[in-house]
Amino acid sequence: MLLVLPGSVVVTVTLLKKLFPNAKIIIDRFHIVQMLNRAVNSTRTDLMNRFDNNSKNYKLFKRNWKLFLKRYDDLNCTYQFYERSQREWVTAEQLVNQGLQLADQDFRKAYWDYQRLLEVIDDPTPSKIKIFKQCLTEVNQKYPGSRSEASKADKTLLTLYDNLIPVITALEPQYCHYTNGPLEGINRKIKQIQRTAYGYRNFEHLKARIYLQTYLGKDTRSSVKTA
């Protein structure tokens, strides 16, 4: 039996082990990436706000935030474009490197920890999984007592370490194709339907709307018998 957990129920791993002792528990990789993604973005915002709003450094982190969330190996290192905030022709890779040079230790560490995770997701080899596991272990050893002094990114890594087995299992090649993506999409659609209608008093009406919205625009002629 395999249980795929979304990131919002990480704390229920202990309970699930008691209820399903023979189940292999994994945490959805999307939520693992999302946790570090948000930590990196929040750390970038804190770093950006240390600079003057009209300075080049502030605009570098403000205008190019998407580049800092992209995989480093996918950054274009040949195509140059004119970056108005820096008043020079640069590549995407050069902009990220400039930002890393200006950044403090917390942001640089958060950035490269995030990159390690992206590498494991794209190519889940045993060596890369081992490196990421060692990264989580080192962060845990860094805060043997209180974790209140940990940075935002380190707190995220500590959360992943507390659920180390489900996290590492989710990164293994034989389980990497399991995902909660379709289920998350359905939940998102239902919540949007409720939000658009400001709620439904009658459950049957809500269910009918869900069916209508789900099949709206789909070609169902293949299921209709023709003479």
Side-chain angles (χ1 to χ4, degrees):
M1 182 178 182
L2 187 69
L3 296 177
V4 184
L5 303 182
S8 58
V9 294
V10 168
V11 293
T12 64
V13 171
T14 304
L15 176 61
L16 287 173
K17 287 182 179 178
K18 295 181 180 179
L19 296 176
F20 306 100
N22 298 323
K24 179 85 66 174
I25 302 176
I26 65 175
I27 297 176
D28 198 299
R29 293 178 302 141
F30 169 80
H31 291 92
I32 297 174
V33 175
Q34 186 185 54
M35 289 175 65
L36 267 181
N37 182 294
R38 289 177 174 175
V40 171
N41 205 32
S42 179
T43 307
R44 177 196 59 82
T45 303
D46 294 340
L47 176 64
M48 176 188 70
N49 291 331
R50 298 178 189 175
F51 301 106
D52 183 80
N53 292 358
N54 296 321
S55 65
K56 288 185 177 181
N57 297 340
Y58 178 89
K59 294 177 181 178
L60 171 64
F61 290 101
K62 177 73 173 181
R63 290 173 56 90
N64 304 286
W65 63 273
K66 290 183 179 180
L67 295 180
F68 292 99
L69 300 179
K70 193 174 182 179
R71 188 180 174 188
Y72 187 84
D73 292 341
D74 293 338
L75 294 174
N76 198 314
C77 60
T78 57
Y79 174 74
Q80 287 189 331
F81 59 94
Y82 186 76
E83 176 56 41
R84 291 181 297 172
S85 64
Q86 306 301 305
R87 298 179 182 178
E88 60 179 349
W89 290 86
V90 293
T91 64
E93 184 182 25
Q94 289 174 337
L95 278 176
V96 171
N97 288 333
Q98 289 179 17
L100 292 175
Q101 291 177 358
L102 294 170
D104 56 9
Q105 183 178 359
D106 288 342
F107 180 77
R108 283 196 293 266
K109 183 180 182 305
Y111 178 82
W112 290 117
D113 288 340
Y114 176 65
Q115 292 298 321
R116 290 191 191 96
L117 176 60
L118 295 182
E119 289 181 6
V120 175
I121 295 295
D122 290 344
D123 186 20
T125 60
S127 59
K128 292 182 179 179
I129 294 176
K130 183 178 179 180
I131 292 174
F132 184 71
K133 183 178 180 180
Q134 181 63 27
C135 175
L136 298 180
T137 304
E138 291 176 354
V139 171
N140 181 64
Q141 294 174 350
K142 185 178 178 181
Y143 305 96
S146 176
R147 296 180 173 182
S148 58
E149 298 180 356
S151 62
K152 293 180 179 179
D154 282 351
K155 287 181 179 179
T156 300
L157 294 177
L158 290 170
T159 301
L160 296 179
Y161 179 83
D162 292 339
N163 302 276
L164 185 61
I165 295 178
V167 169
I168 297 301
T169 304
L171 300 178
E172 294 178 357
Q174 61 267 38
Y175 301 117
C176 64
H177 60 282
Y178 290 100
T179 178
N180 274 342
L183 181 61
E184 294 286 342
I186 294 173
N187 289 340
R188 170 73 178 181
K189 183 174 291 186
I190 293 174
K191 290 180 180 179
Q192 187 62 43
I193 291 172
Q194 291 178 309
R195 192 178 300 114
T196 303
Y198 295 94
Y200 281 85
R201 180 177 298 179
N202 189 307
F203 177 73
E204 294 299 324
H205 292 169
L206 172 61
K207 187 166 67 172
R209 182 64 184 181
I210 293 172
Y211 287 144
L212 176 64
Q213 198 77 17
T214 302
Y215 293 99
L216 189 63
K218 290 190 175 181
D219 187 2
T220 57
R221 289 176 296 177
S222 59
S223 62
V224 179
K225 293 183 178 180
T226 58

